[in-house]
Amino acid sequence: MTNLHELPKGTKIGKYRVEFLVGAGGFGHVYKVIDINTKQNFALKTESSEISHSFLKNEISCLGHLNDSCFPSVRDSGQYKNLNYFVMNIYGKSIGSVCKAEKLSLDTTFPICYKMFTVIHTLHDRGYIHRDIKPSNFLVQLSRNDQLVLIDFGLALEYIDADTGELIQYQQFRFAGTKKYASIFSHKNNQLGRRDDLISWIYSSIEIITGSLPWSNCENDDELLHLKESISPEVLCKNVPVIFRKILKYLLTLKQTDNPSYKLIDKHLRKSMKENNIDLDTVNWNSLYI
């Protein structure tokens, strides 16, 4: 892996000027930049052009086909010195950072988890799987229809051939995702499917609602997999609404190629919110954005 040096404030990349570093990951950096001509603020994501496999180019390709307000739009892309980059809108805080900052009530966390599910459903409807679903990859945005936007498509794959409608089969030889939220099938380097994105969503939902996962502090990979395999859905989901346990048990019965019953899951999530006297329309998304 190539180490990236932080770009200094004022660096000009095309028509954009770097303001400051927003965040750094394993393969790239994200900066707040300003369009020199329009004075608008954007996010610019970089990656070394010297790595053998470009996650950023894969992300640009995926986003070019998704075309929905719950996913970023690629506003610009190119190369600067030894960096590939692309430019997208700036969004608010991640759900991960929001939940770390304060303890939220079920009246807020359940709707957040439900909205995350609807975004994943939209992604799968477009023929793609994400393979790295986690709270930090969902950002709050000020939109009446789509309050969350899913980011970071470096590991995403097209799973349905747009021309034939047939499932695309890949050979997966290494782990894909974030270990804390990955399905047991991902830990075993199995090819992933829609089921696995939704299992990661269940794990994310449990953490969002309760504040942690049983394996949050686990550092050994074998121990982590053992914990995930040995803990029952009943124990894992004991402190969240019962619908999450039922969905997890259902997901674990699915094969990699199976198409989950999104409509049924959606129906039961809405029913559970109603039973818990939770109204989606009363969530103050603006307060989460700030």
Side-chain angles (χ1 to χ4, degrees):
M1 182 171 63
T2 303
N3 290 325
L4 293 183
H5 296 290
E6 181 178 339
L7 295 172
K9 177 180 172 64
T11 300
K12 291 184 179 180
I13 301 177
K15 63 178 182 178
Y16 305 97
R17 184 176 68 243
V18 171
E19 295 293 294
F20 57 82
L21 180 69
V22 175
F27 294 95
H29 294 162
V30 178
Y31 299 88
K32 179 184 177 182
V33 297
I34 186 169
D35 185 314
I36 298 169
N37 300 322
T38 66
K39 308 305 179 187
Q40 287 180 284
N41 293 320
F42 294 101
L44 182 142
K45 188 171 185 178
T46 66
E47 172 193 76
S48 170
S49 59
E50 299 170 1
I51 63 174
S52 58
H53 174 80
S54 174
F55 295 95
L56 190 137
K57 288 183 178 179
N58 184 69
E59 183 165 14
I60 291 172
S61 175
C62 291
L63 292 176
H65 291 92
L66 292 176
N67 191 30
D68 195 282
S69 59
C70 57
F71 312 116
S73 295
V74 178
R75 291 187 167 271
D76 203 349
S77 63
Q79 189 166 346
Y80 171 79
K81 295 185 178 180
N82 67 331
L83 299 174
N84 296 318
Y85 72 86
F86 84 90
V87 179
M88 65 181 183
N89 288 348
I90 281 186
Y91 301 102
K93 296 178 182 178
S94 75
I95 292 303
S97 63
V98 167
C99 293
K100 286 179 182 177
E102 60 177 311
K103 175 65 177 175
L104 301 174
S105 69
L106 188 65
D107 288 353
T108 300
T109 55
F110 200 151
I112 286 173
C113 298
Y114 173 73
K115 287 293 184 179
M116 289 168 63
F117 167 77
T118 65
V119 173
I120 296 169
H121 183 193
T122 301
L123 175 67
H124 292 175
D125 270 354
R126 297 289 193 276
Y128 284 82
I129 54 174
H130 190 272
R131 301 203 305 167
D132 197 16
I133 294 294
K134 56 185 176 182
S136 62
N137 276 340
F138 287 86
L139 307 184
V140 182
Q141 63 173 340
L142 298 179
S143 167
R144 181 171 295 180
N145 297 321
D146 292 302
Q147 293 88 0
L148 296 179
V149 58
L150 177 59
I151 63 166
D152 205 351
F153 286 79
L155 293 172
L157 288 177
E158 185 178 18
Y159 74 88
I160 290 183
D161 188 298
D163 296 323
T164 66
E166 298 293 323
L167 287 173
I168 301 172
Q169 294 296 311
Y170 298 91
Q171 290 292 331
Q172 184 158 323
F173 300 107
R174 60 183 181 182
F175 176 85
T178 299
K179 291 176 181 177
K180 185 178 181 182
Y181 306 100
S183 73
I184 57 174
F185 308 104
S186 183
H187 285 283
K188 295 177 179 180
N189 297 336
N190 293 342
Q191 182 175 346
L192 303 184
R194 291 160 283 190
R195 160 203 70 186
D196 301 281
D197 275 354
L198 291 177
I199 291 173
S200 294
W201 163 71
I202 289 284
Y203 292 162
S204 298
S205 297
I206 293 168
E207 183 179 65
I208 289 167
I209 294 172
T210 68
S212 65
L213 286 162
W215 49 80
S216 290
N217 298 318
C218 187
E219 296 181 357
N220 180 278
D221 290 349
D222 291 335
E223 182 184 351
L224 177 57
L225 176 58
H226 175 71
L227 269 172
K228 287 184 178 181
E229 288 186 311
S230 61
I231 192 168
S232 68
E234 286 80 7
V235 173
L236 180 62
C237 301
K238 64 181 180 179
N239 294 319
V240 298
V242 68
I243 187 56
F244 289 97
R245 169 175 59 82
K246 293 180 178 179
I247 295 172
L248 177 58
K249 292 180 75 172
Y250 162 67
L251 294 173
L252 292 173
T253 68
L254 299 181
K255 294 181 290 188
Q256 178 264 332
T257 55
D258 285 342
N259 185 14
S261 181
Y262 301 95
K263 288 186 177 180
L264 190 61
I265 294 172
D266 189 284
K267 176 184 176 181
H268 285 299
L269 286 170
R270 285 182 170 272
K271 181 182 178 184
S272 180
M273 282 188 285
K274 187 174 181 180
E275 291 170 349
N276 283 278
N277 297 313
I278 296 172
D279 187 349
L280 276 171
D281 296 329
T282 62
V283 176
N284 186 356
W285 293 95
N286 288 357
S287 67
L288 301 179
Y289 182 88
I290 298 171

